[in-house]
Amino acid sequence: MEHKISFEFNARFHTLGQVSGDIEQLWLVCHGHGQLAKYFIRKFEVLNDGKTLIVAPEGLSRYYLEGFTGRVGATWMTKEDRLSDIENYLTYLDRVFNSVKSQLKPDVRVNLLGFSQGAATISRFATQTNVHFDKLILWAGIFPPDLPPLESKERLKGKKVYWVYGTDDQYLSAGVMEEQETIAKHLDIKPRVKTFKGLHELSSEVLLEIAAE
């Protein structure tokens, strides 16, 4: 028989920028499959202007990318016991977000960004918790198809939602693009689409554009 138990769990996250009363924008950014937060957050250095704080949580499961040694990556979930993984990372993200935001001024603007696998992660955080945010950015990834429709519609109403991808992204097939459009229609939203010449990667220019809007 399968059993489950709850216990205290230590998890890490990384920040770029200094917590202060000068912070005007808070970015919570979720990495893709096989990445680590300490490397992923470096991609946001372009936003580090003294008025922006970037927070990068890390997937709760880490593993060797090849064999039994060498480079390590992290993942947010797998198909095995996925509902528990989702519940765990939502609790974790909520704890990280509230811990950081409580140290900033109340009117700080909040941007939620998920890259690749992190797009599904940040989508669930935006729609299945009580997090306050201004912008939701799905980058090289899409909404998960199992979002609760009514709850998600309500949570996304009036929010700026972006879908960003490189025109040469090797992982975004025509089928994936169609699936994203279908899910967006079900959620009654029209994401602002931004593209750039590139692969499965971030673009400094587009990050700056979104930050300024």
Side-chain angles (χ1 to χ4, degrees):
M1 296 178 62
E2 180 179 286
H3 303 273
K4 294 189 177 181
I5 190 169
S6 297
F7 63 97
E8 290 293 326
F9 187 93
N10 290 321
R12 67 185 182 183
F13 64 95
H14 291 260
T15 61
L16 183 60
Q18 296 294 323
V19 174
S20 74
D22 296 327
I23 296 299
E24 297 178 357
Q25 290 198 50
L26 169 63
W27 289 67
L28 186 76
V29 299
C30 289
H31 62 76
H33 178 80
Q35 297 181 307
L36 292 178
K38 63 181 178 181
Y39 301 122
F40 181 64
I41 200 169
R42 295 177 185 176
K43 307 293 185 180
F44 297 86
E45 181 63 49
V46 66
L47 300 178
N48 189 14
D49 59 0
K51 298 181 180 180
T52 302
L53 179 66
I54 299 96
V55 178
E58 187 166 272
L60 298 178
S61 298
R62 288 187 288 271
Y63 62 98
Y64 289 114
L65 296 177
E66 296 181 7
F68 302 101
T69 187
R71 292 178 56 218
V72 173
T75 185
W76 294 101
M77 60 173 287
T78 65
K79 65 180 181 180
E80 186 69 23
D81 200 17
R82 62 187 297 276
L83 294 181
S84 290
D85 282 347
I86 292 171
E87 181 180 357
N88 287 336
Y89 74 57
L90 289 180
T91 300
Y92 161 58
L93 293 177
D94 190 63
R95 187 73 59 86
V96 170
F97 177 82
N98 286 315
S99 174
V100 174
K101 190 173 185 297
S102 67
Q103 303 175 65
L104 305 176
K105 55 187 180 183
D107 61 346
V108 64
R109 286 176 288 164
V110 175
N111 303 323
L112 306 178
L113 181 148
F115 174 76
S116 195
Q117 186 195 42
T121 301
I122 207 70
S123 296
R124 292 191 176 100
F125 182 57
T127 59
Q128 295 177 235
T129 73
N130 293 320
V131 60
H132 164 77
F133 66 97
D134 300 284
K135 299 174 185 176
L136 173 63
I137 303 112
L138 308 187
W139 198 303
I142 68 173
F143 287 111
D146 59 351
L147 287 181
L150 295 180
E151 182 180 357
S152 298
K153 284 182 183 179
E154 186 62 29
R155 293 285 299 148
L156 296 175
K157 185 184 300 182
K159 306 296 185 182
K160 293 181 179 179
V161 180
Y162 294 81
W163 189 34
V164 187
Y165 60 90
T167 54
D168 298 315
D169 192 321
Q170 62 272 38
Y171 298 109
L172 292 183
S173 64
V176 171
M177 310 275 271
E178 292 174 1
E179 182 179 16
Q180 169 73 325
E181 293 176 358
T182 299
I183 296 172
K185 287 181 181 178
H186 288 163
L187 298 178
D188 197 26
I189 61 171
K190 294 182 178 179
R192 304 177 184 203
V193 179
K194 287 186 176 289
T195 62
F196 60 95
K197 183 67 175 177
L199 299 170
H200 197 67
E201 58 192 348
L202 293 169
S203 161
S204 296
E205 291 76 13
V206 178
L207 281 173
L208 289 170
E209 286 179 15
I210 295 174
E213 293 180 353

